[in-house]
Each structure stands twice: as structure tokens, then as C-alpha cells.
Amino acid sequence: SAVISQKPSRDICQRGTSLTIQCQVDSQVTMMFWYRQQPGQSLTLIATANQGSEATYESGFVIDKFPISRPNLTFSTLTVSNMSPEDSSIYLCSVIGGTGEAFFGQGTRLTVV
Amino acid sequence: GENVEQHPSTLSVQEGDSAVIKCTYSDSASNYFPWYKQELGKGPQLIIDIRSNVGEKKDQRIAVTLNKTAKHFSLHITETQPEDSAVYFCAADGGSQGNLIFGKGTKLSVKP
């Protein structure tokens, strides 16, 4: 299994500001995924991040709001820009392990006030 | 695209009883069906998965069955324990990229 570390684990932010979430994996992976989990809800894919190319965003998510970096095969960042209270969610990164299973980090619990 | 429906949304059982959670999916091309357990304040933890080339998989008290013809799969937990209480999510692979489409989750409560 892959070990995924996310930072920060939680944060409280003022509206209008931006927060960058880091995701570090203990092994090299081709694809990393960023999901959002709104309070009491299921997980929704934000984007797929491949090393060396631009992230691919799902319908309803745009790069200006959620810019993603993927500088190498073990690291990615997701920025939540110009935050509003509606962005309060858990943000999760995920990777596909060597045998095809999807593993998740512990998540970043974001509260926007 | 893929759509995953999950039932029930809440489930309460007595300790020692069995719990069954059911999911249906829409895309016949999906081949991978994992189940996740999410405890409060934590990320989803993979507990079992099944691929389309098998109909059933078991790991101790947990089993998953898959019916590809009917496009549904189920999670079975036997001899439930209070520590099984959590939210459980089913998922199906959303395409060649490896992303997952999740059901809405089932909150399982096991009463001692």
C-alpha cells in the first residue's frame, strides 16, 4: 500500500484568501487525484494530476479556482483560491498503488469564515 | 459517465448481527469496485475490493459480491462489532484514468 501524507490536516481561513494543500507519497506514482468531500457528503473528483502535464479538471472545477502543481512523481499541491464559505470541505489526495488499488490521505479539513 | 447508487443511507444493527450494503452502477465498462470505511475525522480506508473477473471475495468478516450482469455489488459484514461503526462508501472506476466514482455513503451504527 502507499503511504500518503497531507498537510495541513486542518485550517481555518478567512474568505478571500488562498490555501495550498500538500500531498506527499512514499513511492513514485504516475497519477494523483484530488477529491473534495463536502460536509456529510460523498467524495467528488476535482482533478487528475499527472507529472509533466497540466491537470485535468472535472466538470464544475476550474484551474483558476483550484490550481494544481505536480513537480515530481511523489508530490502534488492543490490550492483553493479566493475562498468563500462554500469551499469549506475536506480535501483529499489519492494515488493508485502498484496493484491498482486507490489509497487516500487523511485529508485536509478546511473551514472558511 | 459512470453513476453509482448506494443503499441504505443509514443502517443500525445489533452487535453480532450481519450488515449488508448494496450498490448499483451504470457503466458496464467498469471493472474495479472498492469499498472504503471512513471514520470521523479520517480519510477513507480501503477495506476490500473486487474486480470484474470474480464474483465474490472474502477477507475475514468482510465479503464483497459482484453481479456484472445486473450491475450491482454488495458489502457483507458478519459478526459486527461496535468498532465497525463508520461511514462506508462503495465506488466504481470511472475510466482509464484510474479515478473513482463514489456512492453517497452508508452510515453504519453497531449497537452493543
Side-chain angles (χ1 to χ4, degrees), chain B residues 59-97:
Chain B
D59 182 4
Q60 299 183 342
R61 297 186 296 109
I62 295 174
V64 57
T65 58
L66 171 64
N67 183 325
K68 280 221 76 178
T69 303
K71 289 190 279 190
H72 65 70
F73 56 113
S74 300
L75 177 71
H76 305 252
I77 306 174
T78 59
E79 301 172 26
T80 54
Q81 302 167 2
E83 50 266 38
D84 293 329
S85 297
V87 179
Y88 290 81
F89 291 97
C90 64
D93 60 312
S96 58
Q97 291 262 40

PDB file of all heavy atoms in Angstrom, chain B residues 59-97:
ATOM      1  N   ASP B  59     -12.633 -11.533   3.113  1.00  0.00           N
ATOM      2  CA  ASP B  59     -11.484 -11.256   3.966  1.00  0.00           C
ATOM      3  C   ASP B  59     -11.981 -11.224   5.396  1.00  0.00           C
ATOM      4  O   ASP B  59     -12.538 -10.228   5.846  1.00  0.00           O
ATOM      5  CB  ASP B  59     -10.833  -9.929   3.582  1.00  0.00           C
ATOM      6  CG  ASP B  59      -9.591  -9.629   4.408  1.00  0.00           C
ATOM      7  OD1 ASP B  59      -9.186 -10.482   5.227  1.00  0.00           O
ATOM      8  OD2 ASP B  59      -9.018  -8.537   4.237  1.00  0.00           O
ATOM      9  N   GLN B  60     -11.823 -12.332   6.086  1.00  0.00           N
ATOM     10  CA  GLN B  60     -12.272 -12.493   7.476  1.00  0.00           C
ATOM     11  C   GLN B  60     -13.769 -12.199   7.567  1.00  0.00           C
ATOM     12  O   GLN B  60     -14.555 -12.934   6.986  1.00  0.00           O
ATOM     13  CB  GLN B  60     -11.426 -11.607   8.386  1.00  0.00           C
ATOM     14  CG  GLN B  60      -9.939 -11.978   8.346  1.00  0.00           C
ATOM     15  CD  GLN B  60      -9.087 -11.165   9.288  1.00  0.00           C
ATOM     16  OE1 GLN B  60      -9.481 -10.091   9.771  1.00  0.00           O
ATOM     17  NE2 GLN B  60      -7.896 -11.651   9.587  1.00  0.00           N
ATOM     18  N   ARG B  61     -14.187 -11.168   8.288  1.00  0.00           N
ATOM     19  CA  ARG B  61     -15.615 -10.905   8.482  1.00  0.00           C
ATOM     20  C   ARG B  61     -16.247 -10.110   7.344  1.00  0.00           C
ATOM     21  O   ARG B  61     -17.442  -9.829   7.363  1.00  0.00           O
ATOM     22  CB  ARG B  61     -15.831 -10.159   9.790  1.00  0.00           C
ATOM     23  CG  ARG B  61     -15.417 -10.914  11.040  1.00  0.00           C
ATOM     24  CD  ARG B  61     -15.814 -10.159  12.304  1.00  0.00           C
ATOM     25  NE  ARG B  61     -15.119  -8.877  12.432  1.00  0.00           N
ATOM     26  CZ  ARG B  61     -15.704  -7.691  12.280  1.00  0.00           C
ATOM     27  NH1 ARG B  61     -16.989  -7.602  11.984  1.00  0.00           N
ATOM     28  NH2 ARG B  61     -15.009  -6.585  12.429  1.00  0.00           N
ATOM     29  N   ILE B  62     -15.441  -9.722   6.384  1.00  0.00           N
ATOM     30  CA  ILE B  62     -15.928  -8.863   5.308  1.00  0.00           C
ATOM     31  C   ILE B  62     -15.930  -9.630   3.987  1.00  0.00           C
ATOM     32  O   ILE B  62     -14.971 -10.351   3.685  1.00  0.00           O
ATOM     33  CB  ILE B  62     -15.043  -7.610   5.179  1.00  0.00           C
ATOM     34  CG1 ILE B  62     -15.163  -6.772   6.442  1.00  0.00           C
ATOM     35  CG2 ILE B  62     -15.437  -6.795   3.958  1.00  0.00           C
ATOM     36  CD1 ILE B  62     -14.219  -5.594   6.479  1.00  0.00           C
ATOM     37  N   ALA B  63     -16.994  -9.463   3.226  1.00  0.00           N
ATOM     38  CA  ALA B  63     -17.071 -10.088   1.908  1.00  0.00           C
ATOM     39  C   ALA B  63     -17.722  -9.118   0.942  1.00  0.00           C
ATOM     40  O   ALA B  63     -18.524  -8.264   1.339  1.00  0.00           O
ATOM     41  CB  ALA B  63     -17.867 -11.386   1.964  1.00  0.00           C
ATOM     42  N   VAL B  64     -17.375  -9.245  -0.314  1.00  0.00           N
ATOM     43  CA  VAL B  64     -17.998  -8.444  -1.356  1.00  0.00           C
ATOM     44  C   VAL B  64     -18.439  -9.387  -2.480  1.00  0.00           C
ATOM     45  O   VAL B  64     -17.737 -10.340  -2.810  1.00  0.00           O
ATOM     46  CB  VAL B  64     -17.045  -7.352  -1.890  1.00  0.00           C
ATOM     47  CG1 VAL B  64     -15.757  -7.944  -2.407  1.00  0.00           C
ATOM     48  CG2 VAL B  64     -17.714  -6.508  -2.949  1.00  0.00           C
ATOM     49  N   THR B  65     -19.639  -9.138  -2.997  1.00  0.00           N
ATOM     50  CA  THR B  65     -20.141  -9.915  -4.133  1.00  0.00           C
ATOM     51  C   THR B  65     -20.388  -8.974  -5.298  1.00  0.00           C
ATOM     52  O   THR B  65     -20.701  -7.793  -5.110  1.00  0.00           O
ATOM     53  CB  THR B  65     -21.456 -10.640  -3.767  1.00  0.00           C
ATOM     54  OG1 THR B  65     -22.429  -9.672  -3.352  1.00  0.00           O
ATOM     55  CG2 THR B  65     -21.232 -11.631  -2.638  1.00  0.00           C
ATOM     56  N   LEU B  66     -20.228  -9.489  -6.484  1.00  0.00           N
ATOM     57  CA  LEU B  66     -20.405  -8.697  -7.697  1.00  0.00           C
ATOM     58  C   LEU B  66     -21.257  -9.461  -8.696  1.00  0.00           C
ATOM     59  O   LEU B  66     -21.002 -10.630  -8.975  1.00  0.00           O
ATOM     60  CB  LEU B  66     -19.044  -8.379  -8.327  1.00  0.00           C
ATOM     61  CG  LEU B  66     -19.054  -7.734  -9.721  1.00  0.00           C
ATOM     62  CD1 LEU B  66     -19.695  -6.354  -9.668  1.00  0.00           C
ATOM     63  CD2 LEU B  66     -17.639  -7.670 -10.281  1.00  0.00           C
ATOM     64  N   ASN B  67     -22.269  -8.789  -9.217  1.00  0.00           N
ATOM     65  CA  ASN B  67     -23.091  -9.340 -10.281  1.00  0.00           C
ATOM     66  C   ASN B  67     -22.965  -8.414 -11.478  1.00  0.00           C
ATOM     67  O   ASN B  67     -23.608  -7.364 -11.539  1.00  0.00           O
ATOM     68  CB  ASN B  67     -24.559  -9.453  -9.824  1.00  0.00           C
ATOM     69  CG  ASN B  67     -25.446 -10.106 -10.881  1.00  0.00           C
ATOM     70  OD1 ASN B  67     -25.240  -9.916 -12.080  1.00  0.00           O
ATOM     71  ND2 ASN B  67     -26.436 -10.852 -10.434  1.00  0.00           N
ATOM     72  N   LYS B  68     -22.118  -8.760 -12.420  1.00  0.00           N
ATOM     73  CA  LYS B  68     -21.852  -7.871 -13.551  1.00  0.00           C
ATOM     74  C   LYS B  68     -23.051  -7.752 -14.476  1.00  0.00           C
ATOM     75  O   LYS B  68     -23.281  -6.712 -15.077  1.00  0.00           O
ATOM     76  CB  LYS B  68     -20.638  -8.369 -14.340  1.00  0.00           C
ATOM     77  CG  LYS B  68     -19.315  -8.000 -13.742  1.00  0.00           C
ATOM     78  CD  LYS B  68     -18.317  -7.566 -14.797  1.00  0.00           C
ATOM     79  CE  LYS B  68     -18.583  -6.165 -15.297  1.00  0.00           C
ATOM     80  NZ  LYS B  68     -17.593  -5.702 -16.279  1.00  0.00           N
ATOM     81  N   THR B  69     -23.816  -8.816 -14.592  1.00  0.00           N
ATOM     82  CA  THR B  69     -24.985  -8.778 -15.468  1.00  0.00           C
ATOM     83  C   THR B  69     -25.990  -7.750 -14.972  1.00  0.00           C
ATOM     84  O   THR B  69     -26.522  -6.952 -15.739  1.00  0.00           O
ATOM     85  CB  THR B  69     -25.639 -10.161 -15.555  1.00  0.00           C
ATOM     86  OG1 THR B  69     -24.672 -11.106 -16.021  1.00  0.00           O
ATOM     87  CG2 THR B  69     -26.834 -10.132 -16.500  1.00  0.00           C
ATOM     88  N   ALA B  70     -26.238  -7.792 -13.672  1.00  0.00           N
ATOM     89  CA  ALA B  70     -27.203  -6.869 -13.072  1.00  0.00           C
ATOM     90  C   ALA B  70     -26.559  -5.539 -12.707  1.00  0.00           C
ATOM     91  O   ALA B  70     -27.263  -4.608 -12.298  1.00  0.00           O
ATOM     92  CB  ALA B  70     -27.831  -7.506 -11.839  1.00  0.00           C
ATOM     93  N   LYS B  71     -25.246  -5.443 -12.780  1.00  0.00           N
ATOM     94  CA  LYS B  71     -24.511  -4.232 -12.436  1.00  0.00           C
ATOM     95  C   LYS B  71     -24.764  -3.811 -11.000  1.00  0.00           C
ATOM     96  O   LYS B  71     -25.122  -2.662 -10.713  1.00  0.00           O
ATOM     97  CB  LYS B  71     -24.805  -3.111 -13.438  1.00  0.00           C
ATOM     98  CG  LYS B  71     -24.176  -3.386 -14.808  1.00  0.00           C
ATOM     99  CD  LYS B  71     -24.239  -2.181 -15.735  1.00  0.00           C
ATOM    100  CE  LYS B  71     -25.586  -2.080 -16.367  1.00  0.00           C
ATOM    101  NZ  LYS B  71     -25.633  -1.080 -17.460  1.00  0.00           N
ATOM    102  N   HIS B  72     -24.594  -4.767 -10.103  1.00  0.00           N
ATOM    103  CA  HIS B  72     -24.639  -4.390  -8.702  1.00  0.00           C
ATOM    104  C   HIS B  72     -23.628  -5.191  -7.887  1.00  0.00           C
ATOM    105  O   HIS B  72     -23.209  -6.290  -8.268  1.00  0.00           O
ATOM    106  CB  HIS B  72     -26.058  -4.469  -8.116  1.00  0.00           C
ATOM    107  CG  HIS B  72     -26.659  -5.838  -8.062  1.00  0.00           C
ATOM    108  ND1 HIS B  72     -26.218  -6.831  -7.189  1.00  0.00           N
ATOM    109  CD2 HIS B  72     -27.704  -6.372  -8.723  1.00  0.00           C
ATOM    110  CE1 HIS B  72     -26.964  -7.909  -7.347  1.00  0.00           C
ATOM    111  NE2 HIS B  72     -27.870  -7.664  -8.271  1.00  0.00           N
ATOM    112  N   PHE B  73     -23.194  -4.600  -6.795  1.00  0.00           N
ATOM    113  CA  PHE B  73     -22.234  -5.243  -5.899  1.00  0.00           C
ATOM    114  C   PHE B  73     -22.593  -4.888  -4.467  1.00  0.00           C
ATOM    115  O   PHE B  73     -23.228  -3.851  -4.208  1.00  0.00           O
ATOM    116  CB  PHE B  73     -20.787  -4.860  -6.245  1.00  0.00           C
ATOM    117  CG  PHE B  73     -20.481  -3.384  -6.268  1.00  0.00           C
ATOM    118  CD1 PHE B  73     -19.636  -2.837  -5.319  1.00  0.00           C
ATOM    119  CD2 PHE B  73     -20.988  -2.554  -7.259  1.00  0.00           C
ATOM    120  CE1 PHE B  73     -19.320  -1.491  -5.337  1.00  0.00           C
ATOM    121  CE2 PHE B  73     -20.682  -1.202  -7.285  1.00  0.00           C
ATOM    122  CZ  PHE B  73     -19.836  -0.666  -6.325  1.00  0.00           C
ATOM    123  N   SER B  74     -22.221  -5.775  -3.560  1.00  0.00           N
ATOM    124  CA  SER B  74     -22.660  -5.632  -2.168  1.00  0.00           C
ATOM    125  C   SER B  74     -21.518  -5.907  -1.210  1.00  0.00           C
ATOM    126  O   SER B  74     -20.635  -6.721  -1.494  1.00  0.00           O
ATOM    127  CB  SER B  74     -23.805  -6.607  -1.871  1.00  0.00           C
ATOM    128  OG  SER B  74     -24.920  -6.369  -2.707  1.00  0.00           O
ATOM    129  N   LEU B  75     -21.585  -5.241  -0.073  1.00  0.00           N
ATOM    130  CA  LEU B  75     -20.638  -5.458   1.029  1.00  0.00           C
ATOM    131  C   LEU B  75     -21.374  -6.188   2.141  1.00  0.00           C
ATOM    132  O   LEU B  75     -22.475  -5.778   2.529  1.00  0.00           O
ATOM    133  CB  LEU B  75     -20.104  -4.121   1.540  1.00  0.00           C
ATOM    134  CG  LEU B  75     -19.158  -4.192   2.745  1.00  0.00           C
ATOM    135  CD1 LEU B  75     -17.819  -4.782   2.324  1.00  0.00           C
ATOM    136  CD2 LEU B  75     -18.975  -2.808   3.366  1.00  0.00           C
ATOM    137  N   HIS B  76     -20.769  -7.255   2.641  1.00  0.00           N
ATOM    138  CA  HIS B  76     -21.350  -8.029   3.722  1.00  0.00           C
ATOM    139  C   HIS B  76     -20.369  -8.022   4.901  1.00  0.00           C
ATOM    140  O   HIS B  76     -19.200  -8.405   4.733  1.00  0.00           O
ATOM    141  CB  HIS B  76     -21.600  -9.482   3.289  1.00  0.00           C
ATOM    142  CG  HIS B  76     -22.436  -9.610   2.045  1.00  0.00           C
ATOM    143  ND1 HIS B  76     -23.739 -10.064   2.078  1.00  0.00           N
ATOM    144  CD2 HIS B  76     -22.162  -9.339   0.746  1.00  0.00           C
ATOM    145  CE1 HIS B  76     -24.231 -10.062   0.831  1.00  0.00           C
ATOM    146  NE2 HIS B  76     -23.298  -9.635   0.020  1.00  0.00           N
ATOM    147  N   ILE B  77     -20.861  -7.597   6.050  1.00  0.00           N
ATOM    148  CA  ILE B  77     -20.057  -7.649   7.270  1.00  0.00           C
ATOM    149  C   ILE B  77     -20.756  -8.585   8.234  1.00  0.00           C
ATOM    150  O   ILE B  77     -21.924  -8.357   8.594  1.00  0.00           O
ATOM    151  CB  ILE B  77     -19.895  -6.258   7.911  1.00  0.00           C
ATOM    152  CG1 ILE B  77     -19.340  -5.253   6.897  1.00  0.00           C
ATOM    153  CG2 ILE B  77     -18.972  -6.339   9.128  1.00  0.00           C
ATOM    154  CD1 ILE B  77     -19.285  -3.824   7.423  1.00  0.00           C
ATOM    155  N   THR B  78     -20.084  -9.632   8.642  1.00  0.00           N
ATOM    156  CA  THR B  78     -20.676 -10.575   9.599  1.00  0.00           C
ATOM    157  C   THR B  78     -20.133 -10.322  11.002  1.00  0.00           C
ATOM    158  O   THR B  78     -19.091  -9.667  11.165  1.00  0.00           O
ATOM    159  CB  THR B  78     -20.361 -12.029   9.186  1.00  0.00           C
ATOM    160  OG1 THR B  78     -18.940 -12.188   9.133  1.00  0.00           O
ATOM    161  CG2 THR B  78     -20.941 -12.349   7.817  1.00  0.00           C
ATOM    162  N   GLU B  79     -20.871 -10.818  11.980  1.00  0.00           N
ATOM    163  CA  GLU B  79     -20.460 -10.685  13.396  1.00  0.00           C
ATOM    164  C   GLU B  79     -20.010  -9.255  13.696  1.00  0.00           C
ATOM    165  O   GLU B  79     -18.898  -9.027  14.192  1.00  0.00           O
ATOM    166  CB  GLU B  79     -19.341 -11.673  13.700  1.00  0.00           C
ATOM    167  CG  GLU B  79     -19.728 -13.117  13.466  1.00  0.00           C
ATOM    168  CD  GLU B  79     -18.531 -14.066  13.589  1.00  0.00           C
ATOM    169  OE1 GLU B  79     -17.568 -13.734  14.304  1.00  0.00           O
ATOM    170  OE2 GLU B  79     -18.577 -15.134  12.949  1.00  0.00           O
ATOM    171  N   THR B  80     -20.877  -8.308  13.413  1.00  0.00           N
ATOM    172  CA  THR B  80     -20.493  -6.907  13.561  1.00  0.00           C
ATOM    173  C   THR B  80     -20.082  -6.569  14.992  1.00  0.00           C
ATOM    174  O   THR B  80     -20.588  -7.145  15.968  1.00  0.00           O
ATOM    175  CB  THR B  80     -21.637  -5.980  13.130  1.00  0.00           C
ATOM    176  OG1 THR B  80     -22.828  -6.344  13.851  1.00  0.00           O
ATOM    177  CG2 THR B  80     -21.876  -6.065  11.639  1.00  0.00           C
ATOM    178  N   GLN B  81     -19.173  -5.598  15.069  1.00  0.00           N
ATOM    179  CA  GLN B  81     -18.650  -5.128  16.354  1.00  0.00           C
ATOM    180  C   GLN B  81     -18.805  -3.610  16.413  1.00  0.00           C
ATOM    181  O   GLN B  81     -18.878  -2.959  15.366  1.00  0.00           O
ATOM    182  CB  GLN B  81     -17.174  -5.519  16.467  1.00  0.00           C
ATOM    183  CG  GLN B  81     -16.939  -7.017  16.346  1.00  0.00           C
ATOM    184  CD  GLN B  81     -15.477  -7.377  16.145  1.00  0.00           C
ATOM    185  OE1 GLN B  81     -14.594  -6.527  16.125  1.00  0.00           O
ATOM    186  NE2 GLN B  81     -15.218  -8.669  15.981  1.00  0.00           N
ATOM    187  N   PRO B  82     -18.860  -3.040  17.610  1.00  0.00           N
ATOM    188  CA  PRO B  82     -19.022  -1.579  17.711  1.00  0.00           C
ATOM    189  C   PRO B  82     -17.975  -0.805  16.905  1.00  0.00           C
ATOM    190  O   PRO B  82     -18.284   0.260  16.361  1.00  0.00           O
ATOM    191  CB  PRO B  82     -18.897  -1.325  19.213  1.00  0.00           C
ATOM    192  CG  PRO B  82     -19.393  -2.584  19.833  1.00  0.00           C
ATOM    193  CD  PRO B  82     -18.923  -3.691  18.924  1.00  0.00           C
ATOM    194  N   GLU B  83     -16.774  -1.349  16.795  1.00  0.00           N
ATOM    195  CA  GLU B  83     -15.730  -0.644  16.040  1.00  0.00           C
ATOM    196  C   GLU B  83     -15.950  -0.678  14.533  1.00  0.00           C
ATOM    197  O   GLU B  83     -15.223  -0.025  13.770  1.00  0.00           O
ATOM    198  CB  GLU B  83     -14.343  -1.191  16.385  1.00  0.00           C
ATOM    199  CG  GLU B  83     -14.218  -2.686  16.312  1.00  0.00           C
ATOM    200  CD  GLU B  83     -14.453  -3.365  17.668  1.00  0.00           C
ATOM    201  OE1 GLU B  83     -15.333  -2.909  18.438  1.00  0.00           O
ATOM    202  OE2 GLU B  83     -13.755  -4.357  17.933  1.00  0.00           O
ATOM    203  N   ASP B  84     -16.961  -1.416  14.089  1.00  0.00           N
ATOM    204  CA  ASP B  84     -17.341  -1.375  12.672  1.00  0.00           C
ATOM    205  C   ASP B  84     -18.163  -0.126  12.357  1.00  0.00           C
ATOM    206  O   ASP B  84     -18.407   0.184  11.185  1.00  0.00           O
ATOM    207  CB  ASP B  84     -18.148  -2.622  12.281  1.00  0.00           C
ATOM    208  CG  ASP B  84     -17.328  -3.901  12.344  1.00  0.00           C
ATOM    209  OD1 ASP B  84     -16.100  -3.845  12.105  1.00  0.00           O
ATOM    210  OD2 ASP B  84     -17.916  -4.964  12.653  1.00  0.00           O
ATOM    211  N   SER B  85     -18.609   0.573  13.390  1.00  0.00           N
ATOM    212  CA  SER B  85     -19.412   1.779  13.186  1.00  0.00           C
ATOM    213  C   SER B  85     -18.581   2.829  12.448  1.00  0.00           C
ATOM    214  O   SER B  85     -17.489   3.205  12.892  1.00  0.00           O
ATOM    215  CB  SER B  85     -19.886   2.339  14.531  1.00  0.00           C
ATOM    216  OG  SER B  85     -20.731   1.423  15.179  1.00  0.00           O
ATOM    217  N   ALA B  86     -19.100   3.285  11.315  1.00  0.00           N
ATOM    218  CA  ALA B  86     -18.391   4.241  10.457  1.00  0.00           C
ATOM    219  C   ALA B  86     -19.285   4.527   9.255  1.00  0.00           C
ATOM    220  O   ALA B  86     -20.389   3.991   9.148  1.00  0.00           O
ATOM    221  CB  ALA B  86     -17.053   3.678   9.980  1.00  0.00           C
ATOM    222  N   VAL B  87     -18.787   5.369   8.354  1.00  0.00           N
ATOM    223  CA  VAL B  87     -19.456   5.559   7.072  1.00  0.00           C
ATOM    224  C   VAL B  87     -18.734   4.714   6.033  1.00  0.00           C
ATOM    225  O   VAL B  87     -17.501   4.746   5.948  1.00  0.00           O
ATOM    226  CB  VAL B  87     -19.460   7.040   6.648  1.00  0.00           C
ATOM    227  CG1 VAL B  87     -20.143   7.198   5.290  1.00  0.00           C
ATOM    228  CG2 VAL B  87     -20.176   7.889   7.697  1.00  0.00           C
ATOM    229  N   TYR B  88     -19.489   3.947   5.277  1.00  0.00           N
ATOM    230  CA  TYR B  88     -18.927   3.081   4.256  1.00  0.00           C
ATOM    231  C   TYR B  88     -19.310   3.608   2.868  1.00  0.00           C
ATOM    232  O   TYR B  88     -20.462   3.960   2.616  1.00  0.00           O
ATOM    233  CB  TYR B  88     -19.449   1.648   4.429  1.00  0.00           C
ATOM    234  CG  TYR B  88     -18.898   0.982   5.667  1.00  0.00           C
ATOM    235  CD1 TYR B  88     -19.450   1.232   6.921  1.00  0.00           C
ATOM    236  CD2 TYR B  88     -17.806   0.120   5.596  1.00  0.00           C
ATOM    237  CE1 TYR B  88     -18.927   0.650   8.064  1.00  0.00           C
ATOM    238  CE2 TYR B  88     -17.286  -0.484   6.730  1.00  0.00           C
ATOM    239  CZ  TYR B  88     -17.851  -0.210   7.955  1.00  0.00           C
ATOM    240  OH  TYR B  88     -17.332  -0.789   9.094  1.00  0.00           O
ATOM    241  N   PHE B  89     -18.324   3.663   1.993  1.00  0.00           N
ATOM    242  CA  PHE B  89     -18.541   4.122   0.625  1.00  0.00           C
ATOM    243  C   PHE B  89     -18.201   3.005  -0.357  1.00  0.00           C
ATOM    244  O   PHE B  89     -17.147   2.374  -0.236  1.00  0.00           O
ATOM    245  CB  PHE B  89     -17.651   5.323   0.294  1.00  0.00           C
ATOM    246  CG  PHE B  89     -18.008   6.580   1.026  1.00  0.00           C
ATOM    247  CD1 PHE B  89     -17.339   6.937   2.180  1.00  0.00           C
ATOM    248  CD2 PHE B  89     -19.008   7.411   0.545  1.00  0.00           C
ATOM    249  CE1 PHE B  89     -17.658   8.111   2.860  1.00  0.00           C
ATOM    250  CE2 PHE B  89     -19.335   8.580   1.215  1.00  0.00           C
ATOM    251  CZ  PHE B  89     -18.657   8.926   2.375  1.00  0.00           C
ATOM    252  N   CYS B  90     -19.066   2.801  -1.331  1.00  0.00           N
ATOM    253  CA  CYS B  90     -18.708   1.964  -2.467  1.00  0.00           C
ATOM    254  C   CYS B  90     -18.236   2.882  -3.594  1.00  0.00           C
ATOM    255  O   CYS B  90     -18.516   4.090  -3.594  1.00  0.00           O
ATOM    256  CB  CYS B  90     -19.889   1.122  -2.935  1.00  0.00           C
ATOM    257  SG  CYS B  90     -21.293   2.055  -3.587  1.00  0.00           S
ATOM    258  N   ALA B  91     -17.525   2.307  -4.533  1.00  0.00           N
ATOM    259  CA  ALA B  91     -17.032   3.094  -5.661  1.00  0.00           C
ATOM    260  C   ALA B  91     -16.852   2.188  -6.863  1.00  0.00           C
ATOM    261  O   ALA B  91     -16.755   0.961  -6.734  1.00  0.00           O
ATOM    262  CB  ALA B  91     -15.718   3.787  -5.306  1.00  0.00           C
ATOM    263  N   ALA B  92     -16.795   2.811  -8.021  1.00  0.00           N
ATOM    264  CA  ALA B  92     -16.512   2.099  -9.261  1.00  0.00           C
ATOM    265  C   ALA B  92     -15.512   2.923 -10.057  1.00  0.00           C
ATOM    266  O   ALA B  92     -15.510   4.160  -9.969  1.00  0.00           O
ATOM    267  CB  ALA B  92     -17.792   1.890 -10.067  1.00  0.00           C
ATOM    268  N   ASP B  93     -14.666   2.251 -10.809  1.00  0.00           N
ATOM    269  CA  ASP B  93     -13.684   3.004 -11.590  1.00  0.00           C
ATOM    270  C   ASP B  93     -14.401   3.786 -12.678  1.00  0.00           C
ATOM    271  O   ASP B  93     -15.335   3.311 -13.313  1.00  0.00           O
ATOM    272  CB  ASP B  93     -12.620   2.090 -12.181  1.00  0.00           C
ATOM    273  CG  ASP B  93     -13.185   1.042 -13.116  1.00  0.00           C
ATOM    274  OD1 ASP B  93     -14.175   0.385 -12.733  1.00  0.00           O
ATOM    275  OD2 ASP B  93     -12.633   0.872 -14.210  1.00  0.00           O
ATOM    276  N   GLY B  94     -13.932   5.031 -12.865  1.00  0.00           N
ATOM    277  CA  GLY B  94     -14.609   5.935 -13.776  1.00  0.00           C
ATOM    278  C   GLY B  94     -14.033   5.962 -15.176  1.00  0.00           C
ATOM    279  O   GLY B  94     -14.470   6.758 -15.993  1.00  0.00           O
ATOM    280  N   GLY B  95     -13.064   5.139 -15.464  1.00  0.00           N
ATOM    281  CA  GLY B  95     -12.490   5.140 -16.801  1.00  0.00           C
ATOM    282  C   GLY B  95     -11.033   4.758 -16.750  1.00  0.00           C
ATOM    283  O   GLY B  95     -10.511   4.315 -15.739  1.00  0.00           O
ATOM    284  N   SER B  96     -10.343   4.964 -17.838  1.00  0.00           N
ATOM    285  CA  SER B  96      -8.969   4.511 -17.959  1.00  0.00           C
ATOM    286  C   SER B  96      -7.999   5.305 -17.095  1.00  0.00           C
ATOM    287  O   SER B  96      -6.893   4.867 -16.839  1.00  0.00           O
ATOM    288  CB  SER B  96      -8.519   4.595 -19.419  1.00  0.00           C
ATOM    289  OG  SER B  96      -8.641   5.929 -19.881  1.00  0.00           O
ATOM    290  N   GLN B  97      -8.427   6.462 -16.596  1.00  0.00           N
ATOM    291  CA  GLN B  97      -7.527   7.300 -15.823  1.00  0.00           C
ATOM    292  C   GLN B  97      -7.288   6.771 -14.417  1.00  0.00           C
ATOM    293  O   GLN B  97      -6.319   7.139 -13.781  1.00  0.00           O
ATOM    294  CB  GLN B  97      -8.108   8.720 -15.725  1.00  0.00           C
ATOM    295  CG  GLN B  97      -8.102   9.464 -17.034  1.00  0.00           C
ATOM    296  CD  GLN B  97      -6.907  10.403 -17.142  1.00  0.00           C
ATOM    297  OE1 GLN B  97      -5.805  10.063 -16.739  1.00  0.00           O
ATOM    298  NE2 GLN B  97      -7.133  11.564 -17.686  1.00  0.00           N
TER     299      GLN B  97
END
